[in-house]
């Protein structure tokens, strides 16, 4: 069971302010560590974190499966996903930064993963991965395949950032959180730099 907790949001902040924490190095953020921090510890740290920010926070539940600490009237948020009562992922939403700015914070990644969702619409997701550091930069393409970006450039948008437990990376891939091994063959590539996606990171769908 996954538990979702929205734990912080900051209005009109630069992504570097949200993502950088002088108290600890990624994937740690405000003393919350994927793979280590328990649900009980998370609740305590959330309460401590919210004291540092203006705004009201609401506790919301849905049948015990999803619990949200959700700030109102904000643009950016951070969510903690739990599995077996331990933090699995930290997801930073609405980061709205670019690859060059993110590289300035974290350096270049070591891998890139691709996930394509299908259904009523088709969406491609690019994960720029720092496997050993437990960081993923995420770019969402349009739901119209003809409008997907053809090239990864310095100004390519990064909409979300994930922090994860590096030792759990293989399970995240197997569970479909990163890439999609059930739909795309060789969904995780070694990083070959910026450039044309089809040339550098060719994928083949599994029929």
């Amino acid at each position: 069971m996954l538990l979702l907790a929205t734990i912080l949001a900051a209005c009109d902040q630069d992504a570097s302010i949200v993502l950088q924490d002088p108290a600890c190095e990624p994937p740690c953020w405000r003393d919350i560590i994927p793979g280590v921090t328990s649900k009980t510890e998370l609740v305590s740290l959330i309460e401590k974190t919210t004291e540092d920010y203006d705004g009201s926070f609401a506790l919301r539940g849905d049948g015990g499966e999803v619990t949200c600490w959700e700030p109102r009237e904000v643009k950016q948020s951070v969510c903690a996903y739990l599995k077996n009562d331990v933090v699995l992922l930290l997801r930073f939403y609405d980061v709205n930064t670019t690859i060059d700015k993110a590289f300035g914070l974290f350096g270049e990644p070591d891998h890139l993963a691709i996930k394509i969702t299908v259904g009523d619409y088709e969406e491609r997701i690019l994960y720029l991965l720092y496997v050993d550091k437990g960081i993923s930069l995420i770019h969402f393409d349009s739901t119209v395949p003809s409008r997907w970006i053809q090239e990864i450039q310095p100004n390519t948008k990064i909409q979300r950032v994930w922090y994860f437990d590096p030792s759990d990376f293989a399970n995240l891939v197997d569970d479909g959180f990163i890439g999609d091994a059930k739909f795309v063959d060789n969904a995780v590539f070694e990083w070959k730099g910026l450039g044309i996606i089809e040339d550098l990171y060719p994928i083949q769908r599994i029929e």
Side-chain angles (χ1 to χ4, degrees):
M1 180 184 296
L2 294 178
L3 181 75
L4 167 64
T6 300
I7 58 177
L8 173 75
C11 289
D12 300 322
Q13 285 189 327
D14 182 82
S16 63
I17 298 175
V18 176
L19 297 175
Q20 287 188 315
D21 178 8
C24 58
E25 294 290 327
C28 171
W29 182 81
R30 294 188 173 270
D31 296 323
I32 300 169
I33 306 173
V36 175
T37 300
S38 68
K39 176 183 175 181
T40 300
E41 293 168 332
L42 176 66
V43 172
S44 176
L45 290 167
I46 288 171
E47 293 173 348
K48 179 181 178 181
T49 296
T50 57
E51 292 175 356
D52 298 333
Y53 289 80
D54 294 329
S56 58
F57 289 71
L59 179 63
R60 185 177 67 188
D62 179 13
E65 291 189 4
V66 178
T67 303
C68 299
W69 284 262
E70 187 172 79
R72 304 184 183 100
E73 299 178 354
V74 294
K75 294 183 179 180
Q76 295 179 355
S77 61
V78 184
C79 298
Y81 286 70
L82 286 81
K83 186 175 183 179
N84 300 325
D85 290 334
V86 176
V87 174
L88 176 70
L89 293 169
L90 286 174
R91 291 184 175 181
F92 298 81
Y93 288 86
D94 300 317
V95 172
N96 292 325
T97 189
T98 58
I99 280 182
D100 58 343
K101 291 181 180 179
F103 283 8
L105 291 174
F106 305 119
E108 292 198 21
D110 46 70
H111 288 78
L112 179 138
I114 298 174
K115 181 175 184 177
I116 298 176
T117 61
V118 295
D120 295 337
Y121 59 87
E122 190 166 330
E123 181 180 55
R124 183 179 64 182
I125 307 171
L126 305 179
Y127 303 81
L128 285 71
L129 299 166
Y130 304 74
V131 176
D132 292 338
K133 296 180 180 179
I135 301 169
S136 177
L137 312 176
I138 299 174
H139 169 84
F140 285 86
D141 266 322
S142 166
T143 55
V144 180
S146 62
R147 296 174 60 185
W148 289 354
I149 63 169
Q150 303 300 311
E151 186 175 358
I152 304 174
Q153 301 176 329
N155 63 351
T156 296
K157 291 183 179 180
I158 296 296
Q159 297 96 338
R160 298 180 185 177
V161 174
W162 290 4
Y163 288 171
F164 58 88
D165 176 7
S167 67
D168 199 41
F169 175 73
N171 289 329
L172 293 175
V173 174
D174 290 342
D175 292 342
F177 281 94
I178 295 174
D180 194 345
K182 296 179 181 179
F183 186 67
V184 176
D185 190 22
N186 296 324
V188 181
F189 300 85
E190 289 189 7
W191 176 248
K192 299 178 182 178
L194 305 179
I196 298 174
I197 296 171
E198 288 188 1
D199 292 345
L200 296 174
Y201 312 103
I203 63 171
Q204 182 172 350
R205 301 187 187 191
I206 299 174
E207 301 296 337

